Amino acid sequence: SVIEELTELQSIQSRLKDLRQDDRQGVADLSAEVRSIYRQLQARQAAGDIGTPPESPSYDALQEYVSAFRHHLEELERQRPGGAFFLGRIEVNVVADAVQVPTAETVDEAQYRERNARVISEALNLVPGVSIQRIGARNERGVFVRGFDARQVPLYVDGIPVYVPYDGYVDMDRFLTYDISEIQVAKGFTSPLYGPNAIGGAVNVITKAPAGPLNLDMGAGYASGDQVNGFLNTGAKWRRFWIQGGFSWLSSETFPLSGKWRPIAPQPAGDRNNVYQTDYKTRIRATWTPNASDQYTFTYANQKGEKGSPPYAGTDEAVRPRYWQWPQWDKESFYFIGNQSLGETGYLRARLYYDRFNNLLKAFDDARYLTQTKPSSFTSPYDDDTYGTVLELGSRALSRQTLKGSFYYKDDTHREGNLGEPERSFRDQSFSVGLEDTVHLAARTFAVLGTSGDRIKVLNAEDYRQSAVLPFSRNDLWAFNAQAGVFHALTDSSKLRFTFARKTRLPTIKDRYSYRLGQAEPNPELREERSTNWEAGYSHLLGRATFVDAALFLSDVSNVVQRSYISPNLYQLRNPGEARYLGSEFGLRSSLTRNILFTANYTYLSRKNLTDPSLIMVDTPRHHVYSSASYQFVRRINLLADFHFEAGRFNQNDAGTYGRSSQIAVVGLGGVIQIHKGLDLQAGIGNLFDRNYFLVDGYPEAGRNAYVNLRYRF
């Protein structure tokens, strides 16, 4: 994707208009910025065949080149197969001439397709600062971003919040990648336009849009564990109207354990027990574009899924085995996104949505998954729905500033109650008002200032005690956020950034009101979590083909929600905690030769509980490395090898016992052969050396596995 460069060129064009034609220094400064953009694209092999920028152009020559350069990149973006849905982005302005703030990293389709990442959790694992979270007893995966979990880094699809209203989590393994064009990850310094709860960042999944008069992208695959997957995406684009539709599915019976796995009673050698899954997703979109700047889109999306949860396969006798299955994990969404230009310098963007989530959990007596007679067995349905809107107003009426304001409203309802019990209902309303100002301080320097106010209003919260439904006490909350960042280009090829962000997270319904299967006492008075995030970053282009980026970050977190034990087997969530997350990131991308592309990133993360240093912070590795090398063997064959390493991860099992997770050193191999124009055959092996490892005690990960995929597109 070349969106960041496009928006930078838009900004340069706007600033050129404000220059006098005889301002040689101003022209020279803007010319240097253009050359820097060109070199960055060249390093990513994304510049196409546009000519090299002139070294010392006149005002007219620079204006002509920038216009041609922008047009060239727009054509590349339009022709990119499965291009992204523009209005799904939050941190990019397409209509207003606003600079792209370089705080979000993007993973595009080519990257995760090449690595056979079938769900978004696998795609996000490619981003520095991101690590996988395994919730073993629920057979779920989420992510941590610089130490913040999925409740603190909300998930969006096309700018629409999609996390589960009840607990703020979302199982990222339920979201397939086959209709996704790119994923944006904002870390620490996060636009206030996202709304509340982005205390540690935000993840925005951007779906596809048609790139031409008729597009077709289809494929199917098979993998170890009797995994079958397939997808069909098609779209048509006319002058003022386009439509897009897609269907995808993924189902598997199991996954193979490593040959080094030592069998125990609940889990023999071979295949993992009760990890079946089936997921289907349908998306239909219709869009009207009356002119070049306005667009109105309606989208309908439907996901249906079911899954099993593997039994505990560790050696801790204090862990009580769970025999759980989810015969239903369904999500249905309706949303409208519209963009209306306001003159030549402004726009109004509106997102309206309605979302339904139905979930059914069954707990059985034993590994036969047939009877539910024990006190620990139950059938628990969830019925959640949410609706809301996000309004965004932007203007570049001032020559050196871009102002953006937002209003966020979300209404969440959660209904629960095991079979045989009366239904209980919970309802929250969330509000957020945000303002962001991007200011050009000098030719090579700009600043971004932002602030927002968040509120949660509790409309209903029902308790179930002594066979009666009674009201919980209700507590409304306010929270305020502020941030500032300065971005400066030292030279044509090097940039500095310094950011500060004061962020908050409001407690979820589950945080305040859940008994957690009899292990916890609710706390309706729970307060918001707060974090102060700092980052210093530096990026540099070495020569013509190597790009490096480094960052230091620090987060001081207060009001941390943590367990406070009332008795040996009963706790309550409270806000006594103070924590510090400290770390660094380093990324490298280099075209070693015309046929070889090498990427690598390293993350160091230290998390400490300052209130109680003996309390171990779990589920994040201290060291995390990802690297890959792709080789264009001949014109039709591309080979890829990748390496994933992590160490220093602690975990806490279902009995509350702390342990250290395995060191991970996993190698994968894959390749793609172009059989015919548009027809590709992909095959590969994951965990090549059959490592036996786990992220959480008692829940081993997959051993050596293989896959094969066939894809056709035009």
Side-chain angles (χ1 to χ4, degrees):
S1 178
V2 295
I3 292 300
E4 180 177 338
E5 288 78 18
L6 265 174
T7 51
E8 288 180 358
L9 287 172
Q10 287 178 319
S11 176
I12 290 171
Q13 280 185 309
S14 178
R15 288 146 63 196
L16 258 175
K17 294 176 184 177
D18 297 333
L19 282 182
R20 300 190 318 273
Q21 294 195 21
D22 59 353
D23 185 350
R24 294 183 179 180
Q25 185 58 50
V27 171
D29 289 340
L30 292 180
S31 176
E33 290 187 43
V34 173
R35 290 196 301 275
S36 176
I37 293 170
Y38 176 80
R39 293 177 67 190
Q40 290 176 41
L41 288 168
Q42 213 179 23
R44 298 209 316 264
Q45 300 178 348
D49 57 1
I50 186 72
T52 305
E55 285 291 334
S56 302
S58 65
Y59 177 91
D60 290 338
L62 180 61
Q63 191 175 52
E64 182 179 350
Y65 181 85
V66 171
S67 178
F69 197 3
R70 178 179 169 185
H71 177 74
H72 173 75
L73 294 183
E74 287 172 345
E75 285 301 308
L76 288 178
E77 182 68 16
R78 276 194 285 266
Q79 293 171 13
R80 186 163 62 94
F85 173 45
F86 279 106
L87 294 189
R89 294 183 172 101
I90 288 181
E91 299 231 11
V92 176
N93 286 297
V94 178
V95 178
D97 287 334
V99 69
Q100 160 78 3
V101 180
T103 58
E105 292 204 37
T106 299
V107 185
D108 65 25
E109 182 185 21
Q111 291 172 277
Y112 51 76
R113 278 286 179 88
E114 190 176 27
R115 293 157 179 82
N116 193 42
R118 295 151 296 187
V119 292
I120 64 172
S121 55
E122 295 171 352
L124 288 169
N125 203 31
L126 308 177
V127 179
V130 177
S131 59
I132 294 290
Q133 178 191 24
R134 168 68 76 183
I135 307 172
R138 297 177 63 89
N139 193 20
E140 294 181 355
R141 281 194 294 184
V143 296
F144 275 86
V145 177
R146 291 183 175 175
F148 294 93
D149 67 20
R151 295 169 305 156
Q152 302 159 321
V153 183
L155 176 67
Y156 301 79
V157 173
D158 294 329
I160 305 293
V162 297
Y163 47 88
V164 177
Y166 172 58
D167 58 12
Y169 280 109
V170 64
D171 182 3
M172 292 188 177
D173 276 2
R174 308 275 70 78
F175 289 81
L176 309 180
T177 59
Y178 301 110
D179 65 341
I180 293 172
S181 179
E182 62 187 41
I183 305 173
Q184 286 185 339
V185 183
K187 297 178 283 189
F189 187 83
T190 308
S191 172
L193 307 182
Y194 278 103
N197 302 324
I199 183 172
V203 175
N204 188 23
V205 173
I206 302 167
T207 56
K208 292 185 176 183
L214 180 63
N215 291 138
L216 177 66
D217 185 8
M218 59 189 296
Y222 181 82
S224 301
D226 285 333
Q227 184 189 97
V228 180
N229 64 81
F231 65 94
L232 171 65
N233 295 307
T234 185
K237 189 173 184 179
W238 296 275
R239 184 166 173 262
R240 298 192 182 278
F241 184 75
W242 58 263
I243 57 174
Q244 175 82 20
F247 175 76
S248 57
W249 78 93
L250 186 151
S251 66
S252 66
E253 295 298 322
T254 181
F255 63 74
L257 293 173
S258 168
K260 303 177 182 67
W261 168 254
R262 295 180 179 179
I264 60 175
Q267 179 58 62
D271 294 331
R272 189 67 163 114
N273 289 343
N274 200 48
V275 288
Y276 70 89
Q277 70 175 85
T278 303
D279 290 285
Y280 300 93
K281 180 165 68 172
T282 302
R283 187 184 306 276
I284 301 171
R285 172 176 294 140
T287 298
W288 179 47
T289 54
N291 52 55
S293 58
D294 299 339
Q295 191 173 108
Y296 309 95
T297 296
F298 175 78
T299 302
Y300 170 76
N302 193 318
Q303 293 179 235
K304 293 189 179 298
E306 60 177 305
K307 64 175 182 176
S309 183
Y312 176 75
T315 58
D316 190 342
E317 295 181 357
V319 176
R320 186 181 66 187
R322 295 180 180 179
Y323 303 102
W324 285 6
Q325 292 182 339
W326 276 262
Q328 184 182 24
W329 199 102
D330 297 348
K331 189 175 183 65
E332 188 175 29
S333 304
F334 306 80
Y335 57 92
F336 168 82
I337 305 179
N339 193 90
Q340 173 67 51
S341 59
L342 303 176
E344 295 183 358
T345 59
Y347 68 94
L348 173 65
R349 187 169 301 165
R351 294 178 171 90
L352 296 88
Y353 58 91
Y354 174 68
D355 202 17
R356 289 194 299 226
F357 176 67
N358 294 297
N359 180 301
L360 182 64
L361 167 62
K362 287 191 172 186
F364 293 90
D365 297 337
D366 52 43
R368 296 177 300 167
Y369 300 95
L370 294 175
T371 58
Q372 296 177 288
T373 58
K374 294 181 179 180
S376 59
S377 299
F378 57 86
T379 297
S380 176
Y382 282 0
D383 180 9
D384 293 3
D385 63 70
T386 182
Y387 62 88
T389 185
V390 183
L391 302 177
E392 178 186 335
L393 181 67
S395 173
R396 263 198 60 89
L398 301 175
S399 62
R400 304 185 71 86
Q401 287 180 261
T402 301
L403 282 169
K404 292 183 282 186
S406 67
F407 172 75
Y408 173 107
Y409 168 74
K410 191 170 187 281
D411 190 301
D412 296 325
T413 300
H414 169 71
R415 305 171 190 88
E416 66 175 42
N418 294 345
L419 291 187
E421 299 176 354
E423 183 180 84
R424 282 89 75 192
S425 177
F426 303 82
R427 185 181 176 196
D428 283 350
Q429 287 182 336
S430 302
F431 304 85
S432 181
V433 177
L435 180 66
E436 185 175 79
D437 187 13
T438 303
V439 186
H440 284 279
L441 302 176
R444 292 177 176 266
T445 308
F446 69 91
V448 180
L449 310 174
T451 185
S452 65
D454 306 333
R455 187 189 183 204
I456 188 168
K457 182 177 178 61
V458 183
L459 299 182
N460 193 43
E462 294 179 334
D463 192 6
Y464 181 60
R465 288 176 295 169
Q466 300 175 347
S467 302
V469 176
L470 303 170
F472 275 112
S473 62
R474 294 182 289 181
N475 182 32
D476 299 344
L477 290 175
W478 277 97
F480 298 94
N481 312 283
Q483 63 185 49
V486 177
F487 305 84
H488 175 69
L490 293 169
T491 66
D492 292 359
S493 58
S494 59
K495 297 179 181 179
L496 276 173
R497 62 185 183 274
F498 300 96
T499 65
F500 159 83
R502 182 81 159 81
K503 295 288 189 175
T504 58
R505 180 188 77 89
L506 302 171
T508 65
I509 294 171
K510 183 177 182 179
D511 288 340
R512 288 168 284 157
Y513 303 117
S514 176
Y515 286 95
R516 298 175 185 258
L517 301 177
Q519 296 177 322
E521 185 70 22
N523 183 6
E525 305 302 316
L526 205 60
R527 304 293 300 177
E528 77 279 4
E529 292 181 322
R530 306 189 190 103
S531 179
T532 303
N533 304 320
W534 301 86
E535 179 185 351
Y538 175 73
S539 61
H540 188 73
L541 189 64
L542 300 171
R544 293 179 174 270
T546 300
F547 182 78
V548 296
D549 185 90
L552 300 174
F553 59 87
L554 169 68
S555 296
D556 285 316
V557 191
S558 59
N559 276 17
V560 176
V561 173
Q562 63 185 43
R563 297 179 181 184
S564 180
Y565 277 88
I566 302 169
S567 64
N569 296 305
L570 184 68
Y571 66 87
Q572 186 180 56
L573 292 181
R574 296 176 182 172
N575 294 97
E578 304 283 334
R580 173 166 290 172
Y581 306 160
L582 173 69
S584 60
E585 296 169 3
F586 177 79
L588 180 147
R589 181 184 179 95
S590 179
S591 301
L592 301 177
T593 70
R594 187 176 182 84
N595 296 327
I596 299 176
L597 178 63
F598 176 76
T599 65
N601 64 68
Y602 166 73
T603 303
Y604 170 81
L605 175 64
S606 172
R607 300 169 71 213
K608 292 184 178 180
N609 189 311
L610 302 180
T611 306
D612 182 2
S614 65
L615 191 64
I616 300 172
M617 308 291 276
V618 299
D619 292 334
T620 55
R622 177 156 291 202
H623 306 279
H624 184 269
V625 175
Y626 177 80
S627 64
S628 69
S630 64
Y631 175 48
Q632 191 75 33
F633 182 61
V634 292
R635 189 171 65 89
R636 293 178 178 269
I637 300 177
N638 190 73
L639 304 178
L640 174 80
D642 65 356
F643 172 71
H644 176 212
F645 171 83
E646 68 170 55
R649 179 194 289 254
F650 288 86
N651 68 83
Q652 187 177 28
N653 70 18
D654 298 337
T657 303
Y658 290 101
R660 184 187 286 269
S661 300
S662 319
Q663 279 196 5
I664 298 174
V666 177
V667 174
L669 295 177
V672 178
I673 301 174
Q674 187 183 66
I675 300 172
H676 192 268
K677 183 179 180 181
L679 181 63
D680 296 337
L681 176 66
Q682 181 185 30
I685 299 175
N687 195 356
L688 178 66
F689 298 108
D690 201 30
R691 285 294 306 271
N692 180 35
Y693 69 98
F694 61 89
L695 304 182
V696 180
D697 173 47
Y699 297 93
E701 298 293 321
R704 185 185 295 115
N705 59 91
Y707 62 87
V708 60
N709 300 313
L710 188 66
R711 182 184 184 189
Y712 176 68
R713 55 184 172 172
F714 72 84

